Structure formats: C-alpha cells, structure tokens
Amino acid sequence: MYKLAPSILAADFWRLGEYIKEAEEAGVEYLHIDVMDGEFVPSISFGTPIIKSIRKKSKLVFDVHLMVEEPIRYLEDFKEAGADIITVHAEACKHLHRTVTRIKELGLKAGVSLNPATPLAELEYILDEVDMILIMSVNPGYGGQAFLPLSLNKIKSLKEILDEKQLKADIEVDGGISALNVDEVIRAGANVIVAGTAVFGGNITENVNAFKKVFHEFEID
Ligand code: DX5
Ligand code: ZN
C-alpha cells in the first residue's frame, strides 16, 4: 500500500546502474527521477538520455518529477524515454489543465506538484483529473535539505479533501524524508514516499529495509 520512491539525484552517477539494481532488488516500487532545468529551479540535473539508458535495465515504475518551466514542451520526449508517471509543477504551467490532459492522452499517469508556499486551492479544479499530488516538503532544487514541518498540515488537509470528494489519487511527499520521520508523513496521509539521501546515502538495502519496516507497522495496524 505504501510505496518507496528513491530519488536517483542522491546516487553516485558513476555507479548509477548498480545503485538502481540494489534498490530494485531490495524491493522498492518506484524510481523517482528529478529533472531540473536551471530555470524553474536554480540547478540543472539531467534529462532524457539518462532515463533512456536506465529504462533498458530497470522494470521499476519511473516516477518523473519535472522541475521544468512549461513542461508541456517535453512530455512526448519523457514518455519516449520511459516515464510511467509524469509530475509537473502547478507553478511552472501556464495551462495546467492542458498539460495534465496531455500527459493522460499519452497514456501516462499524471501528477501535479506544489511548492511549500503554494496553497492547496491551486488544485481545486484539477483534483479529479490527477492520479497523484506531490507535496514538496522542501523547496525544490537540491537533495539533502531539511524537511519542512509545514507540509504535514498540508498533507492532512489534502487527504481530507480527497476523502470528502471520494477521490483515490495518491499523495506523494518529497524532500528531507528518512526512516526516522516517515511515520509523520504517513500519519498525515501520504502513501508515496520519496527519499534520496536516506536511501542512496549509505547501505541501500539496509536503508530500504528501514523504510519498509515502518511501512509494515502501518499496514498491519
Ligand atoms: C528536490 C527533489 C527531491 C530530492 C529529495 O528538489 O525533488 O526529490 O532529491 O532528496 P532528499 O530525500 O535527499 O531530500
Ligand atoms: Zn523530486
């Protein structure tokens, strides 16, 4: 029921294949792929060539987080590279509805992300169209930042709205999450957990197991 989505941004790119393989064998469900354009966020990460290469070797669900201005320009490219889920930022889209519609027309799952300071109200008219909402628990742009506790109330409110509308969209949370604080975001209502440093920094199998242990405690509750 809970899904772990390790962010490859925190991997050693020299050994990217090995890192992904170990995470996959340890039983993660998604691979979180952070694409940064140097415009929407200050830094530049990587693009479609990397995704294409890893797609050939990995069966994981590719959860592509586009921190990119006007991502509508690149949706076909990311589909072709191997994305399964494409998440765009509400703040980066002039025409969010059109962008979400296009992702779904491509046969992919559509996610919408909100920065920490963006209110949930942005989603009011798009909520029943999306498969996933990504609540940023850091300001996007870098891995390894501290979790912002303000995101907990936001997740709680979002969960209440979804339940009230009887919508089944996933709630993903991204930034500063480890096996030590993941219980708080799960309790707030998130079910897809992104973790970069806390998975790829150190022993990957042990790190994944630490998350799984917490997931299991909630699943048997
Ligand atoms: C931030 C990215 C995150 C980041 C998470 O802009 O969207 O996915 O890599 O890294 P950690 O888990 O290290 O905060
Ligand atoms: Zn991300």
Side-chain angles (χ1 to χ4, degrees), residues 26-82:
V28 307
E29 289 82 8
Y30 286 3
L31 197 66
H32 188 78
I33 300 176
D34 285 308
V35 178
M36 303 180 178
D37 69 348
E39 282 289 330
F40 180 66
V41 290
S43 37
I44 296 175
S45 59
F46 51 76
T48 49
I50 299 262
I51 302 174
K52 248 182 218 160
S53 307
I54 60 179
R55 181 73 287 176
K56 289 185 200 136
K57 302 281 182 188
S58 172
K59 292 198 166 48
L60 291 171
V61 172
F62 279 14
D63 169 29
V64 177
H65 177 194
L66 294 182
M67 286 161 275
V68 168
E69 277 300 332
E70 290 301 345
I72 198 164
R73 298 175 290 162
Y74 303 110
L75 301 177
E76 281 83 4
D77 293 354
F78 281 99
K79 179 196 161 125
E80 206 193 306

Side-chain angles (χ1 to χ4, degrees), residues 53-210:
S53 307
I54 60 179
R55 181 73 287 176
K56 289 185 200 136
K57 302 281 182 188
S58 172
K59 292 198 166 48
L60 291 171
V61 172
F62 279 14
D63 169 29
V64 177
H65 177 194
L66 294 182
M67 286 161 275
V68 168
E69 277 300 332
E70 290 301 345
I72 198 164
R73 298 175 290 162
Y74 303 110
L75 301 177
E76 281 83 4
D77 293 354
F78 281 99
K79 179 196 161 125
E80 206 193 306
D84 296 295
I85 306 169
I86 294 184
T87 297
V88 297
H89 271 262
E91 306 88 351
C93 299
K94 257 191 213 120
H95 301 287
L96 181 60
H97 187 275
R98 178 179 293 148
T99 310
V100 165
T101 306
R102 188 96 28 108
I103 296 171
K104 295 202 301 183
E105 281 169 0
L106 289 170
L108 305 178
K109 290 204 165 167
V112 174
S113 182
L114 297 180
N115 283 338
T118 306
L120 288 175
E122 284 283 321
L123 299 177
E124 188 173 349
Y125 296 104
I126 194 87
L127 213 48
D128 43 5
E129 309 282 335
V130 301
D131 299 294
M132 185 163 82
I133 299 107
L134 168 54
I135 300 293
M136 290 306 299
S137 46
V138 297
N139 288 292
Y142 309 97
Q145 303 180 79
F147 178 81
L148 294 171
L150 64 84
S151 48
L152 290 174
N153 276 338
K154 203 168 174 184
I155 296 167
K156 270 185 210 146
S157 309
L158 174 60
K159 177 74 179 143
E160 280 167 21
I161 296 168
L162 290 176
D163 286 350
E164 201 178 300
K165 292 183 185 269
Q166 297 187 319
L167 294 172
K168 295 261 174 281
D170 289 312
I171 302 180
E172 183 176 49
V173 60
D174 182 6
I177 299 166
S178 73
L180 299 177
N181 64 2
V182 68
D183 59 324
E184 293 184 85
V185 295
I186 290 179
R187 221 169 279 124
N191 67 314
V192 182
I193 310 297
V194 179
T197 320
V199 169
F200 289 121
N203 184 301
I204 297 168
T205 307
E206 279 174 23
N207 291 341
V208 170
N209 287 340

